[in-house]
Amino acid sequence: MIDHRLLAFEAVLQEGGFERAARRLALTQSAVSQRVKLLEAELGQVLLVRSKPARPTPAGRRLLPYLAQLRLMETEARRALEPGQRHGPMRLAVGVNADSLATWFIGAVAEVVREEGLVLDCVVDDQDHTHALLADGEVLGCVSTRPDPMRGCAAIRLGEMPYLCAASPAFRARWFPRGLSRSALAHAPAIIFGRNDDMHEAFLQRHFGLDTGQYPHHVVPSSEGFMAFAVAGLGYGFIPEIQARAHLARGELIDLAPQREEVVLYWHHWQVQSPVMARLAGAIAEAAARALGTPG
Amino acid sequence: MIDHRLLAFEAVLQEGGFERAARRLALTQSAVSQRVKLLEAELGQVLLVRSKPARPTPAGRRLLPYLAQLRLMETEARRALEPGQRHGPMRLAVGVNADSLATWFIGAVAEVVREEGLVLDCVVDDQDHTHALLADGEVLGCVSTRPDPMRGCAAIRLGEMPYLCAASPAFRARWFPRGLSRSALAHAPAIIFGRNDDMHEAFLQRHFGLDTGQYPHHVVPSSEGFMAFAVAGLGYGFIPEIQARAHLARGELIDLAPQREEVVLYWHHWQVQSPVMARLAGAIAEAAARALGTPG
């Protein structure tokens, strides 16, 4: 039910060129080219760079989220029209940061995913970058640390995710026998998730005046790998409180500092959203309120 | 102790240009340029594309692993020369696939990491791609599925990592009440790790004649997220046997098929390796032999 000019534009991008797009749509190449030109004329903007492979112009890129929305709405409309039919599952791409995916996110969406017959395409990225995925139309919603919604979008505050500074008891005995101090922190191996771990850095700078590069660190870009490094006594680092709880209770990890680093999370979605996306957003907000701190 | 022409080449690449490299090395820009030219003359190859930022030519790229090796050897030599000193930790970059990092890898390296005072930079990539990281000098060793060593490298066979096809009991009752079949598999949501999950695809094709795109699937690029999806009853998928074991024992997951998909893993490293790298390789081979199947 999507406009045939939009379909031509989408096919050229997905197939990488006019010839393959024509084959997919069972049209001549000139018919495909004609449809894209009509769309460009109507919008008064060039949408495609005619390179190999074809790429979207900045204007073309701004159309992509709109197309992703249209696709979802079409699927939902078809389902509503033929409720008795056995439908294929509905595909939803969502952006989520690794720590949320490892902790509260799956429990939050499980019921909606099962009941609506969804298949999720989880795009994992840093919590400060999931936002860009929404802007590019790669996802229809995302968990992000950014409070400000993009144009045409809305942001729901989900709550605060507290992180604590933890290590194994043997690690503390070896590296911090007298607690955390500037000189001990300058030598003890830290564990950070990615090359730019702002939380760890901010903590060391604010409380101990240590700068980038002044402390040794393992880089472990995996939520369970990070935890296993800490439990094995190879380093200390910031772990989500909900993820650390069981390990603290078993005495495998201990809490090194009274401070908590808080990350405030938001759910971003397009303002005009389909019924299923709205239901998903509701479930995420509700589960987050239970799993994370109460939104303040 | 590294040749000053190599240092100039390295600095230009790391800083992105001659001007900033000169500032870092406290030299004039023409001295830096002169050194790079001498190196190029000696090797008879152009090593740098003089663009902004400067990039290595294919020949320059082939020098990078050699430089990474030199750096490591220099660090080790300095430690050996001054054994009494308190040295900063030695940085080692290794490539590892997500499932190995989530299961046997950390236990394998823990003792060497602690005793040698290493900090690891784990670069997580698909097991079929970690190889390229070694070729580019980004890592000094990697876990890979490729049996053939690159030029100048060696590969140790680590063993076989068996994967089983698992789901929650409720998922099986709903989607596979009469076991796996072509028609059930065409509708049951699968869980795959990345967009190209060869194992799942090969299994469906070989045993059930199903092709790409003929089955719905969640995409969950996170080892613990994958597991949580399966436990929550949202899909079925291939999980490393060592990771599934505890969940099978608790009845949270059940084994759906008699087949095991085997992934043969190798440790790749440069032939000339430093004592610490050799010790690490030994520890990895030993732990893998215990954790994985016996090399056949």
Side-chain angles (χ1 to χ4, degrees), chain A residues 61 64-65 68 93-97 121-144 146 150 153 268 270, chain B residues 195:
Chain A
R61 190 177 304 280
L64 298 178
V94 294
V96 56
N97 59 314
D121 193 343
C122 302
V123 185
V124 178
D125 207 333
D126 188 271
Q127 58 215 7
D128 303 329
H129 299 131
T130 50
H131 213 251
L133 300 171
L134 186 63
D136 287 349
E138 282 193 52
V139 301
L140 286 161
C142 68
V143 176
S144 166
R146 290 190 47 173
M150 292 184 315
C153 289
H268 288 253
W270 291 88
Chain B
R195 276 178 184 69

Side-chain angles (χ1 to χ4, degrees), chain A residues 86 89 91 101-102 106 110 114 118-122 124 187 195 216-219 221-225 228-229 232 234, chain B residues 86 89 91 101-102 106 110 113-114 118-122 124 187 195 216-219 221-225 228-229 232 234:
Chain A
R86 187 170 185 179
R91 181 153 213 86
L101 186 60
I106 294 169
R114 266 195 306 265
L118 305 178
V119 289
L120 288 191
D121 193 343
C122 302
V124 178
H187 294 103
R195 277 177 182 69
H217 55 272
H218 302 284
V219 180
S222 146
S223 207
E224 73 279 44
F229 254 70
L234 302 180
Chain B
R86 186 170 186 179
R91 182 152 212 87
L101 186 59
I106 294 168
V113 167
R114 266 195 305 265
L118 305 178
V119 288
L120 288 191
D121 193 342
C122 301
V124 178
H187 295 104
R195 276 178 184 69
H217 55 274
H218 303 284
V219 179
S222 145
S223 207
E224 72 279 44
F229 254 70
L234 302 180

Side-chain angles (χ1 to χ4, degrees), chain B residues 236-251:
Chain B
Y236 75 101
F238 282 90
I239 299 178
E241 207 170 31
I242 37 177
Q243 203 179 7
R245 221 171 271 155
H247 297 274
L248 292 169
R250 285 198 295 269

Side-chain angles (χ1 to χ4, degrees), chain A residues 65-82:
Chain A
Y66 174 64
L67 253 169
Q69 289 271 93
L70 283 181
R71 280 272 167 227
L72 181 64
M73 297 218 178
E74 184 189 20
T75 311
E76 290 195 42
R78 282 191 191 281
R79 287 181 165 220
L81 285 171
E82 304 161 6

